[in-house]
């Protein structure tokens, strides 16, 4: 059970909710603020004041005043007309995050909605009734209008939902679960549609996935150092302390911890090799920079997760509604761009380490990590797969936040493109996880070739996990099954190593 304190969600709560659905309830202290902002809306209506989103049209039509008897229809029309998304549906765990972020934002008490709106979102989450939200169609300003409209359709008993994975008509599912669809009050449709919750949820999902990817990359990279008989000297803390980048210092400590006690390392301390290639010895510098970027993104996204980002906003201290631009998702877009670079670099470095292992001139291992090379191709083509995915990630890492196309007849003349900036990240994480799985298979093969010397205790745990799924590669066999098994069962598990704090 998560007790949601609006404005105070933590990464621990959000990531736990993303990976494992669990019931939620709102802290009771929030309801007084919700009631006060709702009363401001009612008061403004009674006074007959013209306020954007309350009794006007939207976007370029904001100058059109709407009569009092049509205010309810105005909100329904808004939800219906903005449900213009397309593409595949967002995954359930992302939809859950969207709903959690939206209800938490509304419950801060600056949106002017009734308690009923928030309680229905809570009830639907707890019943696992998830709106069907197409992934495409938002430019990240004014908020994530189209996808949030699809979410809101379900609240008024229209559109489609998934109940425990089965897609059905929203009205039928709500009725079966004894939940009453909303009759939207003034401003409530706009409050539901306006906001950055879709962009933020997609970016947070990628952040939590990339945390696991980062940890797996450190473990895999350490194993490659041992398989290639690399040195641990580049991880000496003195080197990193005088550069004074905290994440680099943290990463160097991770590699030292993982390699400590390796018989393979001890066997070549007096060898003739002077320096290792950059992909081995510069890991703290490269991975540290990636970690620094992920930490920065984590800070930005946590602030956004706890933000109020709809428009206009209600302030009860002077009974006002103010139009601003908190719906503009530029902070999310730039953070997502930074994450994309980090994710791409993690994969690029992994591909280079794997290429080093199969090159016998550098690793002093059998060519392509297989005996009887020529008869057997070994790890030749898995490296090609890694190269293909690393190259794809480089293209996906191109900055999205610098792009903008005006919408709404130039009323919305600069947009963030945050939704796509965040949405592509999960594809990039998946690519990088595949690259890491291939490297891990190669590193395990290299460790086996170093027998009877043993690797360190922590790395032996990872080696054993690999070998439980993929035996030693003594002759050619289809690689894709091993890659998928290691990717899903090992890369997904290596986050359980105690490597210290990343960002959570």
């Amino acid at each position: 059970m998560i007790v949601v304190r609006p404005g105070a969600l933590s990464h621990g709560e959000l990531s736990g909710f993303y990976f494992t659905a669990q019931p939620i309830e709102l802290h009771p202290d929030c309801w007084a603020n919700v009631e006060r902002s709702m009363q401001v809306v009612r008061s403004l209506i009674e006074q007959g004041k013209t306020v954007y989103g309350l009794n006007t049209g939207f976007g370029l039509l904001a100058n059109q005043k709407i009569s009092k008897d049509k205010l309810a229809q105005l909100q329904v029309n808004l939800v219906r007309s903005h449900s213009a998304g397309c593409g595949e549906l967002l995954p359930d765990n992302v939809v859950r995050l969207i709903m959690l972020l939206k209800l938490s934002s509304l419950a801060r008490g600056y949106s002017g909605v009734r308690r009923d709106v928030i309680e229905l979102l809570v009830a639907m989450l707890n019943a696992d009734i998830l709106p069907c939200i197409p992934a495409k169609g938002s430019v990240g300003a004014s908020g994530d209008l189209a996808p949030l409209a699809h979410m809101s359709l379900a609240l008024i008993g229209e559109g489609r939902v998934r109940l425990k994975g089965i897609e059905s008509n929203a009205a039928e599912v709500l009725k079966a679960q004894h939940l009453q669809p909303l009759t939207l009050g003034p401003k409530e449709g706009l409050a539901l549609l306006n906001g950055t919750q879709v962009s933020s949820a997609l970016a947070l999902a990628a952040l939590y996935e990339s945390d696991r990817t980062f940890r797996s990359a450190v473990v895999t990279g350490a194993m490659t150092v041992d398989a290639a008989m690399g040195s641990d000297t580049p991880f000496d803390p003195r080197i990193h302390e005088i550069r004074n980048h905290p994440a680099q210092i943290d990463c160097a400590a991770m590699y030292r911890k993982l390699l400590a006690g390796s018989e393979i390392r001890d066997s070549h301390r007096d060898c003739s090799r002077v320096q290792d290639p950059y992909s081995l010895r510069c890991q703290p510098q490269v991975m540290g920079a990636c970690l620094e970027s992920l930490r920065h993104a984590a800070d930005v996204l946590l602030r956004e997760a706890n933000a109020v980002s709809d428009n206009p906003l209600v302030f009860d201290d002077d009974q006002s509604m103010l139009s601003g631009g908190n719906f503009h998702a530029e902070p999310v877009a730039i953070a997502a761009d930074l994450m994309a670079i980090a994710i791409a670099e993690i994969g690029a470095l992994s591909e280079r380490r794997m290429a080093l292992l199969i090159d016998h001139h550098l690793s002093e291992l059998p060519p392509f990590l297989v005996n009887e090379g020529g008869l057997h191709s070994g790890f030749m083509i898995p490296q090609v797969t890694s190269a293909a995915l690393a190259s794809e990630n480089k293209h996906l890492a191109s900055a999205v936040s610098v792009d903008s196309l005006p919408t709404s007849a130039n009323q919305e003349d600069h947009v963030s493109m945050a939704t796509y900036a965040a949405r592509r990240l999960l594809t990039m994480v998946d690519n990088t996880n595949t690259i890491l799985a291939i490297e891990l298979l190669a590193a395990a093969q290299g460790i086996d070739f170093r027998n009877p010397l043993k690797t360190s205790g922590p790395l032996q745990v990872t080696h054993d996990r690999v070998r439980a799924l993929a035996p030693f590669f003594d002759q050619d066999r289809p690689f894709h099954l091993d890659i998928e098994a290691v990717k899903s069962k090992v890369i997904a598990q290596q986050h359980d190593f105690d490597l210290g704090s990343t960002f959570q």
Side-chain angles (χ1 to χ4, degrees), residues 283-341:
Q283 288 185 83
Q285 289 80 4
V286 177
M287 294 296 287
C290 294
L291 178 56
E292 198 75 43
S293 298
L294 293 175
R295 284 175 173 173
H296 173 73
D299 289 342
V300 172
L301 294 176
L302 187 60
R303 285 194 292 272
E304 193 68 17
N306 285 299
V308 181
S309 57
D310 61 290
N311 184 64
L313 298 173
V314 181
F315 296 90
D316 70 285
D317 55 351
D318 61 355
Q319 301 289 293
S320 64
M321 284 181 63
L322 305 181
S323 286
N326 281 0
F327 52 72
H328 200 297
E330 193 78 2
V332 178
I334 293 176
D337 277 348
L338 195 58
M339 288 173 61
I341 294 170

Side-chain angles (χ1 to χ4, degrees), residues 12-13 35 62 90 110 117 156 249 290 321 347-348 364 368 375 385 387 391 400 407 436 445-446:
E13 290 170 329
E35 177 67 21
L90 291 174
Y110 296 95
V117 177
I156 63 174
I249 292 170
C290 294
M321 284 181 63
E364 300 178 3
F368 299 105
L375 175 62
T385 300
S391 183
V400 175
T407 60
L436 288 169
Q445 188 84 351

Side-chain angles (χ1 to χ4, degrees), residues 353-377:
R353 291 191 302 259
M354 191 272 175
L356 180 153
L357 287 176
I358 65 175
D359 185 341
H360 69 100
H361 296 102
L362 294 172
S363 67
E364 300 178 3
L365 292 165
F368 299 105
L369 301 175
V370 69
N371 292 319
E372 295 187 84
L375 175 62
H376 300 292
S377 295

Side-chain angles (χ1 to χ4, degrees), residues 41 44 49-66 71 74-75 78 82 111 142-143 145 186-188 190-191 193-194 310-314 320-325 327 408 411-412:
V41 170
L44 291 172
K49 292 186 177 181
T50 302
V51 181
Y52 172 72
L54 195 60
N55 50 14
T56 72
F58 306 100
L60 194 65
L61 303 175
N63 293 324
Q64 301 294 318
K65 187 169 182 178
I66 309 301
L71 295 185
L74 173 68
Q75 299 299 314
L78 178 70
H82 285 48
S111 302
S142 298
L145 294 172
K187 194 185 176 297
E188 289 178 344
L190 185 59
L193 268 60
N194 220 318
D310 61 290
N311 184 64
L313 298 173
V314 181
S320 64
M321 284 181 63
L322 305 181
S323 286
F327 52 72
S408 193
Q411 172 74 8
E412 298 158 5

Side-chain angles (χ1 to χ4, degrees), residues 222-275:
M223 184 180 285
T224 294
V225 170
D226 232 15
M229 283 195 160
S231 173
D232 59 358
T233 298
F235 311 136
D236 188 300
R238 293 169 293 181
I239 295 172
H240 307 284
E241 286 167 0
I242 62 173
R243 198 180 193 192
N244 201 30
H245 285 294
Q248 178 180 321
I249 292 170
D250 292 345
C251 285
M254 295 176 193
Y255 290 108
R256 291 195 303 274
K257 184 174 184 177
L258 289 166
L259 287 162
S262 167
E263 293 179 7
I264 298 173
R265 175 63 187 110
D266 290 340
S267 73
H268 63 93
R269 290 195 180 276
D270 297 321
C271 68
S272 59
R273 188 187 301 175
V274 178
Q275 290 183 328

Side-chain angles (χ1 to χ4, degrees), residues 211-212 214-220 222-223 254 257-259 440 455-466 489-502:
D211 177 46
R212 294 184 169 192
F214 172 84
R215 291 171 178 269
S216 293
V218 172
V219 175
T220 303
M223 184 180 285
M254 295 176 193
K257 184 174 184 177
L258 289 166
L259 287 162
L440 190 55
T455 188
S456 70
L459 296 180
Q460 189 62 50
V461 170
T462 296
H463 179 277
D464 292 346
R465 288 175 174 176
V466 172
K489 301 290 179 60
V490 183
I491 297 299
Q493 290 181 12
Q494 291 193 109
H495 65 279
D496 62 7
F497 278 105
D498 181 13
L499 298 179
S501 174
T502 49

